[in-house]
Amino acid sequence: MATIFTKIANGEIPSYKCAENDEFYAFLDINPLVKGHTLCIPRREVDYIFDMEDDEIARFQVFAKKVAQAIKTAFPCVKVGEAVLGLEVPHAHIHLIPMQSEKDMLFSNPKKSFPAEEMQAAADAIYAEFKKL
Ligand code: AMP
């Protein structure tokens, strides 16, 4: 059975799209730590990121780098932090989080919630920057 993230990448479940190419897809985390918190996924289903082949994980990281550059322009921050947990959804994903301080990376923090229009505007801003790269 397809994972929820495969359904998102295929457009069967709605998401706030931030970036995509043939192999990878990026969208806003629905329960963000901060505004602009983005997830990058491979379209191919693989649960554990470190099961990916060397070439694939390298391309995945390059994709995440571009998305991080787009996030940093759309949401000025000190740095974009990267994290991989994968304890909840069994489909490899990289969290990209615009950080003002290390506290923004604490997954034990309460998750934020933004109105749909704000989420859409955030995703659109990231996607607009991604397309320039
Ligand atoms: P983890 O697997 O521990 O890295 O956590 C999975 C992340 O996916 C969490 O931050 C969730 O908020 C996020 N998430 C789960 N379902 C969705 C969804 N339908 N759309 C966007 N983000 C999601």
Side-chain angles (χ1 to χ4, degrees):
M1 202 176 91
T3 69
I4 185 170
F5 284 177
T6 292
K7 291 178 182 167
I8 283 175
N10 291 342
E12 294 161 35
I13 290 178
S15 68
Y16 296 102
K17 179 167 73 177
C18 298
E20 68 176 335
N21 66 18
D22 287 351
E23 210 176 2
F24 306 108
Y25 186 82
F27 56 105
L28 292 183
D29 194 304
I30 203 72
N31 297 122
L33 286 168
V34 299
K35 191 179 276 190
H37 180 169
T38 300
L39 302 177
C40 300
I41 61 169
R43 293 185 186 277
R44 184 177 86 79
E45 280 192 358
V46 52
D47 176 359
Y48 185 42
I49 190 169
F50 297 124
D51 283 337
M52 292 172 85
E53 294 296 332
D54 291 359
D55 287 358
E56 186 182 22
I57 199 171
R59 290 192 301 275
F60 190 26
Q61 191 61 66
V62 171
F63 176 76
K65 173 183 171 180
K66 284 181 69 177
V67 178
Q69 288 169 331
I71 292 171
K72 193 160 190 307
T73 308
F75 293 93
C77 54
V78 177
K79 286 185 175 175
V80 173
E82 175 175 311
V84 175
L85 288 80
L87 296 173
E88 186 186 316
V89 178
H91 186 137
H93 49 283
I94 293 173
H95 293 258
L96 296 175
I97 298 167
M99 287 185 294
Q100 302 303 338
S101 80
E102 74 175 65
K103 292 191 183 70
D104 291 329
M105 294 296 290
L106 293 178
F107 280 80
S108 50
N109 282 343
K111 303 299 186 294
K112 298 209 160 99
S113 175
F114 300 103
E117 317 85 70
E118 283 187 38
M119 292 289 275
Q120 190 62 60
D124 290 347
I126 295 167
Y127 199 23
E129 296 302 329
F130 178 82
K131 283 191 268 194
K132 293 180 194 168
L133 297 171

